[in-house]
Amino acid sequence: MDENESLEKETQNLIPEDEKADAEYTEKNIQVLEGLEAVRKRPGMYIGTTSFDGLHHCIWEIVDNAIDESLAGYCDTIHVIINKDGSVTVKDNGRGIPVGIVEKTGKSAVETVYTVLHAGGKFGEGGGYKVSGGLHGVGASVVNALSVWVEVVVHKEGGIYRIRFENGGHTAIPLEKIGECDDTGTIVTFMPDSSIFQDTTTFNYNTVRDRIRQMAFLNKGVKIITEDHREVENKPEGVVPGAKDEFCFKGGVKEYVMYLNKNKVAMSEEVIYCEGKDQDIVVEIAMQYNDTYNSTIYSFCNNIRTGDGGTHEEGFRMALTRVLNNYAKANKFLKENDDNYTQDDTLEGLTAIISIKHPNPQYEGQTKGKLGNSEVRKIVSNIFAAQLDRFLQENPNVAKLIMNKVNLASNARLAAKKARETVRKGSGMELTSLPGKLADCASKDPSLCELYIVEGDSAGGSAKNGRDRETQAILPLRGKILNVEKAQMKRVFENAEIGNLIIAIGGGYEKNGEHFDISKIRYHKIVIMTDADVDGAHIRILLLTFFYRYMAPLIEQGYVYIAQPPLYKASRGNKDYYCYNDEQLDVLKRKLGPQIASRLKIQRYKGLGEMDAEQLWETTMDPKQRKMIKVKMSDAMEADQIFDELMGERVEPRKDFIRENAKFVKNLDI
Ligand code: TSJ
């Protein structure tokens, strides 16, 4: 049966006899399938990538539709389940996708949503508030195009209806009524197509859980439950059999701020919260100061992170600085003639979430991570300023703490400026000469050069002797580098290890008006190489935090890597095998057979220092054989969150942390 025949067959059940305008209808269907075919040909255009992120994007796409239903006020519970067979089910208790015929397509609404590009939510005019369809809202049809099969079940008006698609969006079983019910809702299950997602079709439970948690923070009151129903055997990464998490935050972004600050010491209990609406734009902001010296400001538009900020963030910052300066002058924290606090002063130690919902968002910048709508600046600034001002009036004790904090930041900024100037004046030479501990490479072409940051002098020695001198430079770090979250700016610049790093990399840093110049960096690969133990993990996280805070473009542009040294050496006679995890060791033992395996001499590397130069080269540094992990911005942001948990005295949270953050702390000896 060719495509046309099958299409005609499926239409027979759906369209009443008198509505069949055959030729025109068939024409429309061909267009539809050509549309889905285009998605399969160039999936990247629709979901960004076909690797890990793109795969998960499919879930977000479906969940967005359920969230829309909840924003419209018709649904309060959503389930996201990774099924035993690896497919994903998203289920809501909303009104159920309409099953009636849509005039324009001649198909049922549910079939339209799944087969016509960008059709999601276009029917049912004025039916609620739709926020997907922005940057990521490519529609459920894209997921259909990229799936081996999709099944949609709708509970509506007393009936249970089902439709099934196969092979990238072809209707396999037309919409049919399969039973009766007395509830309403939509249940969607899809199986991603491994010929499209060639890297992997294994969903990562923790990735799903983390994004869903964030969705729950951003959409207060919606209960979202995640579950992993996959089995235990041969557990690949990302599979967490039996996992179940339930998220529902009555306080929304207010609870998000509390969550982000949970390992920090908050300046006062209260989280400042405001919400408002103007011209169909919904604004929600929460903020709280803590005892660190950095700011964590996450902004969102329509539940999508705007990593490069934009007009909503600008409006927030402007209002914050203006209101705090006004309060300071009015209440004599600043004298009439004192300089105003700067934006940086008011942001120090601040955790804030800015979330807006906009019916027609414009995104700018290369990665479309910046909100461009200019009207938003004023709307956010007005709503926030009025409510912050009122908060300060009503809570003079908190206001006083904030004033002291901002004042301290202002003084520290002036002191840091002085310290930097002294360094410049006192040692003009040292700033241009490379650190003595750095074993630089011969090449001066940054695109070929790699900087290995190595924990400890002894591993540093092996790395120096084992490396490719032409392109690989080694910088050993002694002990732990300074925790830049906790340290005052002044101390950051006085710290020798950090000074060495900044100078070796060569592009400066960004903070307080200083500019990180990525065009000046001396290496295009910066590789963090630490031991596979808790200390190593800690150093890795401190370094990531440092890069995130002071050289973010390095991470954005994918220049930062984590080396993957082997965990075991298994020797038999004079033959050595290296294994990078327990699974590989098991596979090796199986391959060799029980007889030989029992005679293997297995060494577990406790640290890089146990490897000699040649071993380190072969296993970890040789570009032809090594495996490195490229650090993503989201990893660095997490590192920022994580490290307090490693620092803590309590053992349990540390173990939990290690279990949950396998990416940073792989193969740990705990
Ligand atoms: F789009 C989708 F198929 F991916 C999908 C849609 C997936 C999931 C899990 C849920 C949904 C969805 C859609 N949940 N609820 C709805 N609601 C509607 O489509 C709907 C229902 C009634 C009316 C109306 O005007 O009566 C309007 C809409 C948009």
Side-chain angles (χ1 to χ4, degrees), residues 58 61-70 72 74-75 78-79 89-98 109-110 113-114 120-128 130 139-141 143 150 152 156-157 185-189:
C58 294
E61 199 57 57
I62 302 297
V63 171
D64 277 354
N65 287 282
I67 292 278
D68 279 347
E69 185 73 354
S70 78
Y74 297 104
C75 138
I78 299 169
H79 289 259
T89 296
V90 182
K91 173 180 158 186
D92 73 28
N93 63 347
R95 291 167 294 177
I97 310 183
V110 117
V113 168
Y114 266 95
K122 289 276 159 61
F123 52 87
E125 300 288 293
K130 183 152 183 62
S141 58
V143 177
V150 173
V152 185
K156 200 175 178 74
E157 290 149 13
T186 304
I187 306 155
V188 173
T189 306

Side-chain angles (χ1 to χ4, degrees), residues 199-388:
D199 288 3
T200 177
T201 47
T202 305
F203 290 103
N204 184 312
Y205 180 76
N206 291 346
T207 303
V208 173
R209 178 204 57 198
D210 290 350
R211 169 63 179 157
I212 291 300
R213 183 197 292 114
Q214 186 182 59
M215 279 296 233
F217 280 130
L218 294 170
N219 299 281
K220 62 179 172 193
V222 189
K223 187 199 285 181
I224 320 183
I225 295 143
T226 56
E227 290 175 40
D228 192 341
H229 290 181
R230 289 169 296 187
E231 310 260 279
V232 195
E233 253 177 85
N234 182 27
K235 209 166 88 178
E237 195 175 329
V239 179
V240 191
K244 178 170 179 177
D245 292 276
E246 182 176 321
F247 303 107
C248 180
F249 303 109
K250 295 253 154 18
V253 295
K254 183 171 176 172
E255 288 191 61
Y256 198 171
V257 165
M258 284 155 64
Y259 173 78
L260 291 172
N261 273 348
K262 73 176 187 293
N263 297 308
K264 302 185 170 119
V265 180
M267 196 188 65
S268 79
E269 294 274 304
E270 290 90 342
V271 177
I272 301 174
Y273 174 79
C274 91
E275 65 184 323
K277 183 174 172 178
D278 190 356
Q279 295 172 37
D280 271 343
I281 298 163
V282 179
V283 177
E284 230 186 323
I285 294 172
M287 61 172 247
Q288 185 183 44
Y289 286 94
N290 59 61
D291 73 339
T292 74
Y293 296 92
N294 293 303
S295 66
T296 299
I297 312 249
Y298 296 160
S299 64
F300 299 84
C301 179
N302 297 350
N303 297 328
I304 300 164
R305 180 81 211 285
T306 36
D308 302 326
T311 48
H312 51 343
E313 252 189 73
E314 288 162 22
F316 165 78
R317 273 200 264 260
M318 280 166 18
L320 177 69
T321 314
R322 174 160 46 91
V323 170
L324 291 183
N325 271 313
N326 288 346
Y327 187 89
K329 292 244 153 115
N331 295 279
K332 308 282 180 273
F333 290 96
L334 276 179
K335 289 195 218 74
E336 230 8 83
N337 294 326
D338 283 350
D339 281 347
N340 275 340
Y341 298 129
T342 65
Q343 284 201 3
D344 281 321
D345 296 339
T346 61
L347 293 174
E348 196 173 290
L350 183 68
T351 299
I353 300 292
I354 302 139
S355 170
I356 74 156
K357 304 228 164 76
H358 196 298
N360 180 30
Q362 304 301 134
Y363 297 101
E364 294 177 345
Q366 226 169 20
T367 52
K368 300 280 173 211
K370 187 172 180 185
L371 187 70
N373 305 61
S374 60
E375 77 281 7
V376 167
R377 199 180 288 110
K378 209 167 183 90
I379 290 174
V380 170
S381 144
N382 285 344
I383 290 174
F384 178 57
Q387 297 189 43
L388 175 62

Side-chain angles (χ1 to χ4, degrees), residues 21-87:
D22 298 329
E24 194 194 345
Y25 182 71
T26 308
E27 174 62 23
K28 274 180 190 152
N29 275 285
I30 292 169
Q31 281 172 12
V32 162
L33 284 173
E34 279 172 351
L36 294 194
E37 199 46 48
V39 176
R40 287 179 68 81
K41 276 213 181 88
R42 310 187 67 185
M45 293 246 305
Y46 298 86
I47 53 164
T49 75
T50 52
S51 51
F52 186 87
D53 289 352
L55 176 73
H56 288 78
H57 199 118
C58 294
I59 303 185
W60 321 147
E61 199 57 57
I62 302 297
V63 171
D64 277 354
N65 287 282
I67 292 278
D68 279 347
E69 185 73 354
S70 78
L71 288 173
Y74 297 104
C75 138
D76 63 9
T77 308
I78 299 169
H79 289 259
V80 180
I81 298 162
I82 307 178
N83 299 307
K84 214 165 150 175
D85 62 0
S87 64

